Amino acid sequence: MTETLTIRLPKVLAREFRAKTRAAKTNPTAVLREAAEGYVRNAIVELIRVRAGTWDGHVSGEELLRRTRTAKPV
């Protein structure tokens, strides 16, 4: 399932964006979808880092997952 979002850009920026997507043989929707995925994934990774710390190999993956699920947000 998808949801439609509308963004407002200055005309000059919108024209440049469309021109660059055409030059790359893609479309604005694909570019924005990829950017949104990256933004959301970065947020998820950051949440895990904040809640569980960075894995340095001293605990098992199972223990790291346990800490991620039970840790209190900072």
Side-chain angles (χ1 to χ4, degrees), residues 11-69:
K11 285 185 179 185
V12 173
L13 185 59
R15 285 185 196 125
E16 288 177 15
F17 183 60
R18 273 195 296 274
K20 285 185 177 186
T21 57
R22 284 187 199 123
K25 297 184 181 180
T26 186
N27 62 46
T29 301
V31 172
L32 292 172
R33 184 178 295 130
E34 186 176 318
E37 277 183 21
Y39 181 79
V40 170
R41 286 189 182 142
N42 288 341
I44 292 169
V45 168
E46 186 59 32
L47 175 66
I48 290 171
R49 285 185 180 145
V50 166
R51 297 186 84 195
T54 303
W55 183 64
D56 58 7
H58 294 293
V59 296
S60 69
E62 183 178 328
E63 178 62 21
L64 181 63
L65 183 59
R66 188 177 301 111
R67 288 183 188 182
T68 303
R69 288 182 176 174

